[in-house]
Amino acid sequence: MNSRPPAHFNLLARVLHWSMAVLILTMLFVGVTMVASLTLRPMLIELHRPIGIAILLLALLRLGNRLTHRPPPLPADLPAIQKSAARASHWVLYALMLSMPLIGWGMLSAGGYPIVMFGSVSLPAILPHSPTLFALLRGAHGLLAYLLFATVLLHLSAALYHAWVRRDGVFASMARGPGRDANR
């Protein structure tokens, strides 16, 4: 058994990370446009639901992969507060990637709306019809969307700091696999 820590995230982690980054950024822009445009709203709602469920499923897969595969360690010279902030922000991202779609699903359920994915495929309601619960979840969904946006910006800023300022391999550990290291 290899006890040496990995230098890179495994292939599944990297594929999930980058595909979810595209989906989450798409979802944030869809959400903002959906609220701002009445003409595009119906089309964007049709897009919002399946992307949200895709993010939920991929987040579950990603969490399983994360819990079963050790990530590469952060640089030893990184200050402890930055290490703690990095770990905390990752777990906040996981919590948001899991809770946002569930809250949206629950919100639609409480509102009595059909949860159509595409065509005739629909999801069952997960909460009873309740206007009060709908209003509560709608507020929570919007608030958590702002938190997700802020966390994504912090995550992106930290990634660019590691890639362009520190050049410590943290960004490379998620950007590429170990194959290129052998060519160095």
Side-chain angles (χ1 to χ4, degrees):
M1 182 174 172
N2 186 2
S3 62
R4 221 174 85 192
H8 299 273
F9 286 89
N10 68 23
L11 178 61
L12 180 59
R14 286 181 275 129
V15 168
L16 288 169
H17 176 270
W18 293 110
S19 60
M20 290 186 73
V22 170
L23 289 175
I24 289 170
L25 288 176
T26 300
M27 193 63 127
L28 288 171
F29 284 108
V30 165
V32 167
T33 309
M34 203 168 64
V35 171
S37 171
L38 290 177
T39 55
L40 295 175
R41 186 177 169 80
M43 179 192 69
L44 294 174
I45 287 175
E46 297 295 319
L47 192 62
H48 193 77
R49 287 186 298 248
I51 291 176
I53 295 301
I55 289 172
L56 175 63
L57 296 174
L58 292 174
L60 288 170
L61 182 61
R62 189 170 170 184
L63 181 61
N65 185 60
R66 173 66 176 80
L67 294 175
T68 56
H69 293 83
R70 186 168 48 161
L74 292 168
D77 65 335
L78 195 65
I81 191 160
Q82 288 184 26
K83 287 181 181 176
S84 296
R87 290 185 188 105
S89 71
H90 282 119
W91 290 114
V92 167
L93 280 171
Y94 275 106
L96 290 169
M97 290 184 298
L98 294 169
S99 65
M100 286 288 295
L102 286 172
I103 289 173
W105 187 356
M107 176 185 77
L108 292 175
S109 300
Y113 295 103
I115 305 145
V116 179
M117 291 292 98
F118 43 85
S120 62
V121 177
S122 297
L123 296 178
I126 58 173
L127 291 174
H129 178 69
S130 165
T132 303
L133 188 55
F134 172 78
L136 181 71
L137 292 175
R138 185 176 178 157
H141 197 67
L143 187 65
L144 290 179
Y146 286 115
L147 179 60
L148 178 61
F149 183 65
T151 307
V152 166
L153 285 180
L154 286 173
H155 183 75
L156 178 61
S157 299
L160 295 177
Y161 171 71
H162 283 285
W164 293 341
V165 178
R166 285 187 52 96
R167 299 178 187 199
D168 55 11
V170 169
F171 183 82
S173 70
M174 184 53 85
R176 57 188 165 89
R180 290 191 176 181
D181 287 348
N183 297 331
R184 288 179 136 182

